[in-house]
């Protein structure tokens, strides 16, 4: 056996002391064979004697001449690299990391080694984004224009780094772009990660940067443009969201992508409160929807149809109160999407033979959604989970792009169920888990507000499926029931719903109340006289339909010494210009308007609501959580009742607390009630007293009773299913 074979055998068997002795003997007899120094240093390092290793390697390199220095250095690098990989193959990640750290000191410019080092640092939980700056890897990538960078290794490193959100990560990714040989794979990875980062980690600005990188590689990539506009919107960068969506529409060539891009533009404009630009876009949306429904089967392959299809009509509800038209869009698109989804996923579509006549065990109820957190759905649904009868029902949570460790989620939901699972955006994975758990009744909490949940429901993972609370019905044939009550939908609503409307006897939601913090707003701070009447509206920009805002301003105009507080989520400049221009047109002094910043949390928001004497509701999309908060705080409310679900929520809640004062069926009545509340203090006091007393008597404030009614509904649904 020659010396190299003996060295390798001792190395493989981890006999480092023997290897050290052998190498020292070899050096004594053949001091000019420099490679022996490399293995001697390697043995010292693996034995834990780092200083001896460094000294040995330095001595070996000092023997090099200018002609042999590069060759000898490369030889040492190759030996260390080979051993580093061998240690990884044996799952000795700490040793591999140590080897590559020393390799970095020998060849600090070697990018591939740094990429491995990043992955190993992540593996052993020692990575921090600051290391990228320390190692100057972004600078090395920017300077390295040859083909030595391993593109696959780089791509995998980026994929792992996306778990960290920092400026250093963004600089690293940007410097990597010229070295990526498979841009399409990179874009797919970034889009998947960005969706999770934006919605689960609530960092849409970081996600937007990732989409900008995608568009550097492919400026016309439709998916990247779609998500970029959406992420800008969630970051409240509305102008950028609108510009991106407009560019997306201009570049769209097919009917499908025109509708996709127009939907993003419609969403961006409504979210920004840019109603002056909205009408032609909304009309184009309805035209494109009709065209797509008529031509869809001929123009698009089933596998190319995404759940976005079901979401397209969503924002029309903010613009018009025409449920026959909007429900037709939902029902048709829901049917088409589900049909095509089933065509490409036949393996997930099957009957439920194991569910028949299961009466000997508790009913298994599954709740799926993305909003079981400090969100409107979370605040309102939490009591149901607290009061669920755990002996009669086994309850599971399927959290979509949501962190189960979130304190709100943990306290109100996770600890009150049998099992909770967290998922990303893979709808098939979620549906498969629900099916494997043999859930009897699956309750959808998102409806069309999230395409992932739409896909889960369309896959029909449970024999009975229900939509509740998160929004109106989705129109998917796989949904059996929509939970409602006697008031939130008109009597004839079943005529235009594909789902069976299941009306609970009293109310479709109840809460035990709301926590209230310490107020930070005072009249003197807002320069409002103590004897003035304060009207308030606390809604996001999407709900501020200009027709209703005009009615609100006419109320202000006709109530002397009144002021209007406007608070909500929208671009500050856009929303202020929007209200100021409408006020001028209605003859209202703009100095009577007060624009408030968002409160730091829900508890402070509720405390600050109490500064208002009267709350003016929105139409055709009413408040829901804000209405319940208003009623709980004893503040008179003026609402306009329509025909669609979202135009009747406040009416349903007010009816359930025994209040008719403030319910308007026409625009004229809306103005009349607003003026009456503003000019009649005794009327305000009367309503406030009735609201205060309702806390002890109204079904709206009895969540335990409501839970029993929901559970009775589940039992009856299951009986219907079993015939």
């Amino acid at each position: 056996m020659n010396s190299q074979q003996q060295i390798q055998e001792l190395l493989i068997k981890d006999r480092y002391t023997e290897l050290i002795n052998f190498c020292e003997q070899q050096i004594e007899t053949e001091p000019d064979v420099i490679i022996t120094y490399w293995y001697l240093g390697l043995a010292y390092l693996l034995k834990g004697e780092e200083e001896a290793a460094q000294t040995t390697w330095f001595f070996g390199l000092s023997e090099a001449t200018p002609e042999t220095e590069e060759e000898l250095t490369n030889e040492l690098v190759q030996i260390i690299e080979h051993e580093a990989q061998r240690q990884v193959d044996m799952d000795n990640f700490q040793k591999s990391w140590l080897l590559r750290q020393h390799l970095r000191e020998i060849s600090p410019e070697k990018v591939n080694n740094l990429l491995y080092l990043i992955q190993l640092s992540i593996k052993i939980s020692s990575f921090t984004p600051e290391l990228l700056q320390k190692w100057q890897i972004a600078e090395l990538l920017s300077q390295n224009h040859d083909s030595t960078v391993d593109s696959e290794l780089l791509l995998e490193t980026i994929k792992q780094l996306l778990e960290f959100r920092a400026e250093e990560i963004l600089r690293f990714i940007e410097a990597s772009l010229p070295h990526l040989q498979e841009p399409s794979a990179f874009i797919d990875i970034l889009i998947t990660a960005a969706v999770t980062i934006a919605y689960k980690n609530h960092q849409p600005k970081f996600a937007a940067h990732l989409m900008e990188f995608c568009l550097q590689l492919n400026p016309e990539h439709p998916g990247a443009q779609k998500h970029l506009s959406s992420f800008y919107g969630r970051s409240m960068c509305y102008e950028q969201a609108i510009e991106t969506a407009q560019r997306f529409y201009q570049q769209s060539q097919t009917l499908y992508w025109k509708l996709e891009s127009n939907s993003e533009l419609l969403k961006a404009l409504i979210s920004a409160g840019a109603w002056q630009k909205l009408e032609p876009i909304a009309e184009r949306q309805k035209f494109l929807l009709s065209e797509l429904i008529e031509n869809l089967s001929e123009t698009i392959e089933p596998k190319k149809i995404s759940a976005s299809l079901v979401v397209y009509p969503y924002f029309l509800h903010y613009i018009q109160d025409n449920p026959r038209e909007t429900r037709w869009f939902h029902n048709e698109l829901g049917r088409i999407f589900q049909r095509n989804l089933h065509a490409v996923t036949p393996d997930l579509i099957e009957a439920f033979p194991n569910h028949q006549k299961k009466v000997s065990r508790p009913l298994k109820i599954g709740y799926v959604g993305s909003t079981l957190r400090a969100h409107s759905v979370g605040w309102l649904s939490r009591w149901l989970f607290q009061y669920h009868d755990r002996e009669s029902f086994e309850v599971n949570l399927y959290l979509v792009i949501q962190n189960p460790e979130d304190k709100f989620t943990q306290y109100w939901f996770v600890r009150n169920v049998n099992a909770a699972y967290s998922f990303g955006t893979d709808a098939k994975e979620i549906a498969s888990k629900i099916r494997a758990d043999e859930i009897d009744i699956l309750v959808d909490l998102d409806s069309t507000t999230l395409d992932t949940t739409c896909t889960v429901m369309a896959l029909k993972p449970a024999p009975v499926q229900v939509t509740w609370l998160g929004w109106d019905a989705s129109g998917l044939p796989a949904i059996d029931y929509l939970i409602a009550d006697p008031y939130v939908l008109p009597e004839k609503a079943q005529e235009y719903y594909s789902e069976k409307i299941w009306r609970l006897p009293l109310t479709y939601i109840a809460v035990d109340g709301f926590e209230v913090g310490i107020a930070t707003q005072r009249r003197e701070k807002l320069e409002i006289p103590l004897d003035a009447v304060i009207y308030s509206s606390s809604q996001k920009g999407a709900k501020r339909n200009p027709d209703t805002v005009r009615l609100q301003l006419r109320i202000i105009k006709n109530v002397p010494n009144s002021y209007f507080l406007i608070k909500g989520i929208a671009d500050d400049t856009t929303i202020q210009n929007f209200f100021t221009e409408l006020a001028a047109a209605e003859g209202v002094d703009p100095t009577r308007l007060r624009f408030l910043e968002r409160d730091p949390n829900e508890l402070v928001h509720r405390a600050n609501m109490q500064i208002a004497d009267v709350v003016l509701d929105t139409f055709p999309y009413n408040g829901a959580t804000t209405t319940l908060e208003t009623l709980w705080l004893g503040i008179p409310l003026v609402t306009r009742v329509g025909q669609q679900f979202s135009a009747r929520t406040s009416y349903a809640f007010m009816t359930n607390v025994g209040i008719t004062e403030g319910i308007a069926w026409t625009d004229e009545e809306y103005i009349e009630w607003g003026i009456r509340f503003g000019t009649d203090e005794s009327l305000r006091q009367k309503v406030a007293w009735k609201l205060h007393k309702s806390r002890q008597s109204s079904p709206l404030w009895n969540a335990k009773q409501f839970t029993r009614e929901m559970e009775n509904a589940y039992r009856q649904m299951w009986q219907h299913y079993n015939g």
Side-chain angles (χ1 to χ4, degrees):
M1 184 182 296
N2 63 36
S3 61
Q4 283 299 310
Q5 289 176 316
Q6 291 183 59
I7 287 173
Q8 292 300 324
E9 182 177 313
L10 293 171
L11 187 61
I12 291 170
K13 293 181 179 180
D14 298 338
R15 292 157 63 177
Y16 303 131
T17 301
E18 293 180 46
L19 179 55
I20 290 170
N21 292 333
F22 179 80
C23 288
E24 288 177 342
Q25 291 171 10
Q26 289 295 112
I27 289 172
E28 284 184 11
T29 58
E30 296 182 87
D32 295 333
V33 181
I34 302 299
I35 192 171
T36 311
Y37 287 93
W38 306 157
Y39 284 109
L40 176 59
L42 187 60
Y44 277 130
L45 185 63
L46 293 172
K47 191 181 176 185
E49 299 180 30
E50 290 187 57
E51 187 174 345
Q54 290 176 313
T55 302
T56 302
W57 286 334
F58 178 77
F59 181 81
L61 290 172
S62 69
E63 295 295 303
T65 64
E67 292 78 16
T68 62
E69 182 177 2
E70 182 177 354
E71 180 184 350
L72 290 175
T73 301
N74 288 337
E75 187 178 66
L76 173 58
V77 165
Q78 289 174 15
I79 288 172
I80 297 175
E81 281 188 324
H82 183 272
E83 182 60 22
Q85 184 57 51
R86 192 179 74 85
Q87 294 295 335
V88 165
D89 295 341
M90 296 187 296
D91 293 337
N92 293 332
F93 303 113
Q94 186 71 44
K95 283 187 177 180
S96 183
W97 174 85
L98 181 62
L99 287 160
R100 290 197 176 276
Q101 279 282 33
H102 282 273
L103 180 55
R104 182 179 67 83
E105 294 179 8
I106 296 167
S107 295
E109 77 292 342
K110 195 170 179 59
V111 173
N112 290 338
N113 179 62
L114 295 175
L115 297 177
Y116 281 119
L117 199 50
I118 290 169
Q119 293 188 28
L120 288 166
S121 298
I122 294 172
K123 197 81 171 178
I124 64 174
S125 302
S126 67
F127 178 80
T128 62
E130 290 76 19
L131 286 175
L132 300 179
Q133 187 172 357
K134 177 182 177 182
W135 297 340
Q136 297 185 317
I137 188 167
E139 289 77 6
L140 289 171
L141 284 166
S142 298
Q143 297 164 8
N144 193 325
H145 300 296
D146 57 29
S147 58
T148 59
V149 178
D150 186 328
S151 181
E152 290 186 12
L153 175 62
L154 180 60
L155 193 61
E156 178 58 31
T157 305
I158 291 172
K159 188 175 181 180
Q160 294 187 28
L161 282 174
L162 289 171
E163 293 297 320
F164 304 84
R165 266 77 66 187
E167 287 297 319
E168 292 87 351
I169 306 298
L170 294 175
R171 286 196 291 271
F172 171 80
I173 295 175
E174 186 170 24
S176 301
L177 298 183
H179 300 280
L180 295 166
Q181 296 178 6
E182 295 291 338
S184 59
F186 170 77
I187 291 173
D188 290 342
I189 288 171
L190 254 60
I191 288 177
T192 301
V195 169
T196 299
I197 290 168
Y199 299 111
K200 184 175 182 178
N201 303 116
H202 309 295
Q203 293 181 283
K205 286 187 177 180
F206 191 93
H209 285 305
L210 299 182
M211 292 304 94
E212 290 167 352
F213 295 149
C214 292
L215 293 175
Q216 286 185 40
L217 295 173
N218 183 352
E220 297 185 5
H221 191 284
Q225 292 184 90
K226 165 187 163 66
H227 288 299
L228 180 58
S229 177
S230 182
F231 298 156
Y232 278 147
R234 291 185 71 87
S235 305
M236 289 183 281
C237 301
Y238 295 113
E239 185 174 338
Q240 291 168 286
I242 292 168
E243 290 175 357
T244 303
Q246 286 174 329
R247 187 165 55 251
F248 182 18
Y249 182 81
Q250 292 166 359
Q251 294 176 353
S252 297
Q253 300 297 316
T254 67
L255 176 60
Y256 181 81
W257 286 116
K258 284 183 181 294
L259 184 51
E260 186 84 48
S261 56
N262 198 72
S263 297
E264 285 300 322
L265 180 56
L266 185 66
K267 178 173 68 174
L269 289 169
I270 290 179
S271 300
W275 288 87
Q276 70 278 12
K277 303 176 182 178
L278 202 60
E279 185 176 351
I281 308 303
E283 289 303 312
R284 188 167 70 190
Q285 182 77 352
K286 291 194 281 187
F287 171 78
L288 291 169
L289 285 170
S290 299
E291 286 288 297
L292 192 68
I293 290 169
E294 182 179 347
N295 299 298
L296 195 51
S297 59
E298 301 175 5
T299 58
I300 300 178
E301 297 176 30
K303 65 181 180 180
K304 293 184 179 180
I305 296 178
S306 74
S308 299
L309 196 68
V310 187
V311 182
Y312 290 151
Y314 172 74
F315 278 96
L316 293 177
H317 295 257
Y318 291 91
I319 301 168
Q320 62 181 39
D321 178 34
N322 186 357
R324 287 192 179 273
E325 180 180 54
T326 51
R327 291 313 317 166
W328 181 81
F329 284 136
H330 283 293
N331 296 342
E332 288 297 304
L333 293 171
R335 177 183 59 80
I336 292 168
F337 168 67
Q338 182 171 309
R339 180 195 66 199
N340 285 275
L341 180 67
H342 289 196
V344 297
T345 56
D347 55 313
L348 291 177
I349 311 302
E350 58 184 55
F352 304 93
N354 296 330
H355 284 76
Q356 295 293 334
K357 306 296 181 183
K358 285 188 176 177
V359 294
S360 60
R361 60 153 175 81
L363 269 178
K364 291 185 176 182
I365 310 297
Y367 293 89
V368 58
S370 63
T371 49
L372 295 180
R373 47 188 168 84
H375 176 279
S376 291
V377 172
W379 285 108
L380 302 187
S381 66
R382 55 186 170 145
W383 304 104
L384 174 69
F385 291 88
Q386 178 166 306
Y387 291 125
H388 249 314
D389 180 355
R390 299 290 293 280
E391 293 185 2
S392 301
F393 296 89
E394 182 180 318
V395 181
N396 283 11
L397 287 185
Y398 302 92
L399 303 172
V400 185
I401 52 176
Q402 183 179 329
N403 182 10
E405 301 302 320
D406 174 89
K407 290 183 179 179
F408 190 95
T409 302
Q410 184 67 224
Y411 181 83
W412 286 102
F413 302 106
V414 173
R415 76 171 191 169
N416 286 319
V417 299
N418 295 82
Y421 307 96
S422 180
F423 300 90
T425 58
D426 189 337
K428 294 179 184 178
E429 179 189 6
I430 303 169
S432 296
K433 178 58 179 171
I434 293 169
R435 185 180 289 274
D437 289 345
E438 295 190 344
I439 293 299
D440 300 319
I441 299 175
L442 181 63
V443 183
D444 164 27
L445 295 169
D446 288 342
S447 186
T448 61
T449 62
L450 187 66
D451 53 3
T452 299
T453 314
C454 285
T455 307
V456 172
M457 301 305 290
L459 289 169
K460 191 69 172 177
V464 178
Q465 301 197 153
V466 182
T467 291
W468 173 62
L469 189 60
W471 193 66
D472 201 346
S474 63
L476 291 167
I479 307 291
D480 301 289
Y481 301 105
L482 168 67
I483 298 293
D485 62 27
Y487 315 107
V488 78
L489 285 175
E491 291 182 7
K492 295 184 178 181
Q494 191 61 69
E495 296 175 4
Y496 44 82
Y497 275 87
S498 62
E499 300 88 345
K500 175 71 175 176
I501 299 172
W502 192 287
R503 296 183 191 263
L504 298 179
L506 298 171
T507 176
Y508 79 94
I509 183 59
V511 298
D512 277 356
F514 294 96
E515 301 86 342
V516 180
I518 305 298
T520 59
Q521 293 289 2
R522 297 181 61 87
R523 287 175 178 246
E524 59 187 8
K525 179 180 177 181
L526 298 172
E527 298 182 349
I528 296 176
L530 293 177
D531 62 344
V533 175
I534 296 181
Y535 291 89
S536 175
S537 175
S538 301
Q539 298 289 0
K540 60 184 181 180
K543 293 187 178 182
R544 299 193 187 283
N545 189 295
D547 293 336
T548 304
V549 172
R550 291 186 185 95
L551 303 182
Q552 295 169 341
L553 290 167
R554 289 170 194 170
I555 293 170
I556 306 301
K557 181 178 181 180
N558 285 281
V559 177
N561 196 26
S562 65
Y563 291 80
F564 193 16
L565 304 187
I566 301 154
K567 179 173 64 176
I569 305 172
D571 178 80
D572 291 342
T573 304
T574 301
I575 205 70
Q576 290 186 27
N577 291 341
F578 171 71
F579 271 90
T580 302
E581 290 172 7
L582 288 177
E586 295 296 332
V588 175
D589 185 351
T591 61
R592 296 169 67 184
L593 308 181
R594 297 289 186 274
F595 299 95
L596 307 183
E597 295 181 355
R598 295 181 65 192
D599 294 309
N601 55 57
E602 288 85 358
L603 275 64
V604 175
H605 155 71
R606 294 176 197 133
N608 285 336
M609 286 180 69
Q610 296 175 97
I611 197 174
D613 296 299
V614 185
V615 170
L616 300 178
D617 197 13
T618 48
F619 180 86
Y621 204 118
N622 294 170
T625 306
T626 50
T627 293
L628 288 169
E629 291 168 334
T630 299
L631 300 177
W632 177 256
L633 294 169
I635 305 171
L637 176 80
V638 180
T639 189
R640 167 79 161 83
V641 189
Q643 296 299 305
Q644 65 187 8
F645 193 109
S646 57
R648 298 173 68 90
T649 51
S650 295
Y651 159 65
F653 299 153
M654 292 172 72
T655 302
N656 266 302
V657 292
I659 297 293
T660 58
E661 298 89 344
I663 296 176
W665 295 87
T666 65
D667 291 350
E668 292 73 22
E669 287 185 12
Y670 185 91
I671 296 173
E672 289 171 10
W673 276 117
I675 294 173
R676 283 187 62 186
F677 275 130
T679 56
D680 189 343
E681 184 177 359
S682 64
L683 176 62
R684 297 199 301 271
Q685 292 174 346
K686 173 187 172 183
V687 170
W689 176 244
K690 289 172 71 173
L691 289 172
H692 176 73
K693 291 184 67 176
S694 77
R695 288 189 176 191
Q696 300 300 318
S697 59
S698 169
L700 200 63
W701 313 126
N702 191 338
K704 191 171 185 179
Q705 173 183 294
F706 165 75
T707 303
R708 299 288 86 83
E709 291 171 356
M710 279 286 279
E711 290 174 341
N712 287 335
Y714 292 155
R715 291 188 184 96
Q716 293 173 45
M717 291 173 187
W718 190 244
Q719 289 173 0
H720 289 326
Y721 171 72
N722 285 306

